Amino acid sequence: ESALVYLDRSGGLRRLAEDCKRFNPQQIEAVYRFCVSVNPCDVMEVDAVLGECVLRDPLKATALFQSVCFLAIRTLSLVEKIHTENQVNVILKLTHLPPFPEYILDLCSFPRGYGPMRPVSMEGLVIAMTRVTKYTQGARFLCINDDCPCSTFHHIRVHAPGATESATVRNDFSCMVCSSPLKEDVKFRVLGKQLVELIHVKALDALSALQRGAFRYQSVTLFLRELCKSMRIGRLYKVLGIPAHVHQWPSITWSVEANNIQPWEPELHKVSGHFQDLLKATVGFPWRFSAIVAHCFGLHVAPQGLYNTLKLGLLLSLVQTRAGSNDTFNNLDLLVVATDTLILDLMTYSLGLACRGVRHQATGEMFASLSRDEHGAGTANIHAGSALLATGGVCMLGDLGCYKKDRLDAIQSLESSTVSVFIPGKKYGEDADQQLSFPVQCSFWAELGPVPIQVADTFGLLIQCRDSGEQALLAQTVHTLQQAVQPGKRLYTSSWEFSSQDYQEQLIAYAQSLQVELSPRAEKIIHGYYMASRRVRTQSQGVKMSVASIKLISLAEAHCKLCLRTRVLEEDAVIAVLLCENSVTLKHASALIIPPDAVFPCDLGDTDGLHMRDLTLDELHQNILRFIYT
């Protein structure tokens, strides 16, 4: 009675009537499937006993709602072909669970499987999945004894959470009336879809360069039935599911039947007081905030004043790389031309500040690998490689000099932003071969000595870290010795101090979330430089100007975000043009005459240095306008 009241108040009976209209009155089904949305809190308001049943014994609650739905269908004559309650297959879809520890499954905690099999909530990362396969949702069986009433009246078996295919359909079932064997009426088999997911939670630290401690993370298997294709490799999700023991003789595996799946993103942070103070101090100077932020970045890794352009490029890539839940994606690939090992240290440190950072090993799998599924799906299991695991973040390739030719060829194919996985049907128990495509949605960082143009063209931004001479070498030596003798001590005096946590949680995370728009003046500079550069650089030089145009916009948006603005100004476009021109000049002939390190043309040790930089950038701004006009 309480279940009926709840369905009436929540609109469930109206939706049931609408669902019944989907069925063809001329076609007889063995099982009629209905999905009923249930809000446990609202059920508690109607009847606390029923609410407790939903949360603690979902199979019993499903049987109650099945009875109510069957009675409603028969009473209202919604489907004439439904004669028995067994023909109604009800799936309770929980909208959410109470925010109490009993209903939260931490995938890092052990042991599993000893508690009650009740709905739980979990959050995690999809690291592998199978292709979609068929499974039997329900089947009708008839008794082979002609004298038995069940020879015309049928038995119906439906899938239950945790059950294997053999638990629903096999040839050794017996009649409950006369104990004769049952034979399946194959034309009434109801086929559904099955997708196996492997999901991790809190394992992102193990994928980054800065692993904290020796931990081993265990994945969990999710069974997706009616929720097929609702998850993608490399994405984060919040899942409501029912734990189940899957019996596959001679072993028992612990898995989860997914009930509700929602994309999940970590909570956003606010900008810290330190950066807010800097923002106030640099009002009226649109180039200074990003300059100071880059100048103070990674001071425990590299000496102050060295590699400022690289630091800015790393920060721009970090704030611009983001994969939204609506399939939108922004990225900024970075290739550093250098031979200094300190560059890799700086990139490794920056990788630890990414929302998701994966350091790829030259001998590892970059995109995807295949294995035979071990959970009864009878198909291939697709495991995510470094690039797919880094979805929405950064995949650091390291020194490309360590890569073989076939691996470099794979890197060059990244311009398509998709990777194809070929599944040989014969090897994995399928009737035909299949090829699946996965989007590659991450930024790539790499370091390279000599620059092959084909590889360099794959990356959006190319930065050359030049040897600054003996003075820079001395500064680096002193920095290294001081770090060794006095670890953790502050090495440089500055008006502004920012910790790694400040950068990661209160600048980068916030800047990533900003939605920016191009101002007309910024768009005019970007479009003008693009057209002028394309005219000067002929097609014979092999410059991909369509890619350059996209890169310009991405760089300008990234600088705008780093400066914590939502409108791309003319000054952001100037920084984008200077970075782009320096990048293209390393591969092709120069079009706009600018200094090799145009974004940081002077030392920023004091206010005079910042003022000098502003003057130089103003002059370069005018040079860009003259170049466009000419």
Side-chain angles (χ1 to χ4, degrees):
E1 183 179 346
S2 298
L4 179 62
V5 171
Y6 172 75
L7 288 177
D8 184 34
R9 291 183 183 179
S10 64
L13 290 179
R14 176 178 51 81
R15 287 191 295 270
L16 178 67
E18 293 173 355
D19 290 342
C20 288
K21 296 176 182 178
R22 296 185 292 108
F23 299 108
N24 186 352
Q26 305 301 323
Q27 183 177 349
I28 301 176
E29 304 281 352
V31 177
Y32 294 81
R33 176 181 164 277
F34 300 94
C35 187
V36 178
S37 294
V38 174
N39 185 328
C41 293
D42 292 345
V43 176
M44 285 286 186
E45 294 291 331
V46 174
D47 189 327
V49 176
L50 179 60
E52 170 129 358
C53 182
V54 169
L55 292 173
R56 293 187 174 273
D57 194 351
L59 294 181
K60 180 180 178 181
T62 299
L64 288 172
F65 280 92
Q66 179 185 7
S67 298
V68 172
C69 290
F70 170 69
L71 290 174
I73 291 169
R74 292 294 294 166
T75 303
L76 301 176
S77 301
L78 297 177
V79 180
E80 296 295 335
K81 304 296 182 181
I82 295 181
H83 302 289
T84 66
E85 188 173 312
N86 288 338
Q87 289 179 274
V88 178
N89 181 19
V90 169
I91 298 173
L92 292 187
K93 186 174 182 180
L94 305 178
T95 58
H96 68 281
L97 291 175
F100 302 132
E102 293 81 2
Y103 300 101
I104 298 175
L105 177 63
D106 184 353
L107 298 184
C108 294
S109 63
F110 291 88
R112 300 183 194 151
Y114 289 98
M117 294 304 179
R118 61 188 177 199
V120 290
S121 172
M122 67 193 81
E123 297 165 348
L125 167 72
V126 178
I127 62 169
M129 59 173 30
T130 67
R131 59 179 292 274
V132 177
T133 59
K134 294 180 178 180
Y135 84 103
T136 305
Q137 190 182 92
R140 185 173 96 163
F141 292 85
L142 301 175
C143 182
I144 64 172
N145 183 0
D146 295 336
D147 296 330
C148 179
C150 290
S151 61
T152 54
F153 184 80
H154 48 266
H155 293 268
I156 292 176
R157 295 186 66 83
V158 296
H159 170 79
T164 58
E165 180 77 357
S166 61
T168 309
V169 178
R170 61 176 190 265
N171 56 13
D172 60 350
F173 294 129
S174 58
C175 178
M176 293 184 293
V177 177
C178 68
S179 299
S180 298
L182 294 178
K183 182 180 180 181
E184 182 189 357
D185 192 348
V186 180
K187 65 178 180 290
F188 286 105
R189 178 182 288 195
V190 182
L191 293 175
K193 300 289 184 181
Q194 179 186 35
L195 182 66
V196 179
E197 301 279 346
L198 291 179
I199 189 167
H200 265 184
V201 67
K202 296 181 180 178
L204 300 185
D205 290 342
L207 304 177
S208 68
L210 303 176
Q211 185 170 350
R212 301 169 182 85
F215 293 102
R216 180 183 178 89
Y217 292 91
Q218 178 69 47
S219 61
V220 61
T221 301
L222 290 182
F223 281 88
L224 307 188
R225 309 288 178 179
E226 68 281 352
L227 297 172
C228 282
K229 297 184 179 180
S230 59
M231 303 180 84
R232 285 167 54 180
I233 253 181
R235 294 289 187 130
L236 292 170
Y237 294 94
K238 183 173 184 178
V239 180
L240 304 186
I242 302 174
H245 289 141
V246 180
H247 295 255
Q248 287 182 301
W249 183 259
S251 61
I252 298 177
T253 59
W254 189 92
S255 63
V256 174
E257 288 264 352
N259 182 272
N260 196 344
I261 298 172
Q262 297 293 333
W264 171 67
E265 293 185 10
E267 295 181 4
L268 298 177
H269 298 270
K270 295 183 179 180
V271 180
S272 69
H274 295 294
F275 288 114
Q276 288 180 350
D277 293 340
L278 176 60
L279 205 57
K280 294 176 183 177
T282 56
V283 169
F285 302 96
W287 285 311
R288 290 196 179 183
F289 182 85
S290 61
I292 295 173
V293 165
H295 184 70
C296 298
F297 182 66
L299 291 182
H300 67 286
V301 180
Q304 192 175 53
L306 279 186
Y307 308 129
N308 279 344
T309 302
L310 172 59
K311 292 179 180 179
L312 178 63
L314 291 168
L315 288 170
L316 293 179
S317 181
L318 287 172
V319 301
Q320 185 66 356
T321 303
R322 179 179 175 84
S325 57
N326 57 351
D327 267 353
T328 58
F329 176 66
N330 298 310
N331 76 316
L332 183 58
D333 299 330
L334 186 62
L335 178 62
V336 184
V337 182
T339 55
D340 191 349
T341 56
L342 189 64
I343 302 300
L344 281 179
D345 294 339
L346 190 57
M347 295 172 72
T348 301
Y349 165 71
S350 304
L351 185 70
L353 304 183
C355 60
R356 189 186 307 178
V358 177
R359 183 164 188 173
H360 177 70
Q361 303 298 324
T363 56
E365 185 59 55
M366 184 179 298
F367 300 114
S369 60
L370 297 177
S371 69
R372 186 174 294 278
D373 174 67
E374 299 177 353
H375 302 90
T379 185
N381 204 16
I382 306 166
H383 300 269
S386 300
L388 296 183
L389 289 174
T391 296
V394 176
C395 180
M396 180 175 164
L397 303 179
D399 186 359
L400 294 185
C402 301
Y403 285 69
K404 295 181 179 180
K405 185 180 183 303
D406 61 331
R407 302 279 179 166
L408 292 176
D409 292 340
I411 293 174
Q412 292 179 40
S413 67
L414 291 177
E415 290 176 283
S416 63
S417 298
T418 58
V419 57
S420 296
V421 179
F422 177 75
I423 303 176
K426 186 175 181 180
K427 182 177 179 180
Y428 293 103
E430 300 292 339
D431 296 331
D433 299 339
Q434 189 173 14
Q435 185 163 304
L436 303 178
S437 295
F438 297 93
V440 179
Q441 296 183 329
C442 67
S443 290
F444 290 93
W445 294 353
E447 184 193 31
L448 188 65
V451 187
I453 290 179
Q454 296 82 359
V455 176
D457 281 338
T458 306
F459 292 82
L461 183 60
L462 188 61
I463 295 178
Q464 185 173 21
C465 295
R466 291 176 171 81
D467 186 1
S468 302
E470 294 183 1
Q471 186 176 359
L473 181 60
L474 177 61
Q476 184 174 331
T477 304
V478 172
H479 174 88
T480 304
L481 289 173
Q482 286 181 333
Q483 286 280 70
V485 176
Q486 298 174 318
K489 183 181 178 181
R490 181 183 169 190
L491 302 180
Y492 307 100
T493 57
S494 174
S495 304
W496 306 100
E497 290 184 35
F498 309 108
S499 66
S500 298
Q501 186 176 5
D502 288 337
Y503 276 102
Q504 182 180 26
E505 298 182 0
Q506 285 130 16
L507 177 67
I508 296 171
Y510 177 78
Q512 279 181 330
S513 66
L514 294 176
Q515 301 294 322
V516 299
E517 60 175 357
L518 278 173
S519 67
R521 294 176 68 89
E523 188 174 5
K524 186 176 181 180
I525 282 189
I526 291 173
H527 179 71
Y529 168 77
Y530 164 69
M531 296 300 294
S533 182
R534 189 172 72 168
R535 177 166 294 184
V536 172
R537 294 183 170 104
T538 61
Q539 292 299 321
S540 61
Q541 291 179 311
V543 182
K544 299 181 180 180
M545 294 309 298
S546 59
V547 177
S549 175
I550 298 172
K551 179 171 63 178
L552 278 166
I553 296 174
S554 183
L555 283 169
E557 290 178 346
H559 191 265
C560 175
K561 291 179 181 180
L562 185 61
C563 295
L564 305 181
R565 295 192 298 265
T566 56
R567 188 172 177 81
V568 181
L569 304 180
E570 198 171 0
E571 289 78 7
D572 299 314
V574 169
I575 296 294
V577 167
L578 295 176
L579 288 171
C580 184
E581 181 64 24
N582 277 149
S583 177
V584 177
T585 301
L586 290 174
K587 299 175 286 184
H588 308 282
S590 175
L592 174 63
I593 306 302
I594 60 174
D597 204 359
V599 178
F600 288 94
C602 55
D603 183 42
L604 302 183
D606 51 23
T607 307
D608 292 337
L610 291 170
H611 179 65
M612 182 65 68
R613 179 177 182 267
D614 288 343
L615 294 177
T616 305
L617 290 178
D618 282 332
E619 184 178 346
L620 291 172
H621 183 185
Q622 297 304 315
N623 291 345
I624 293 171
L625 294 177
R626 283 193 291 270
F627 171 71
I628 294 171
Y629 178 76
T630 303

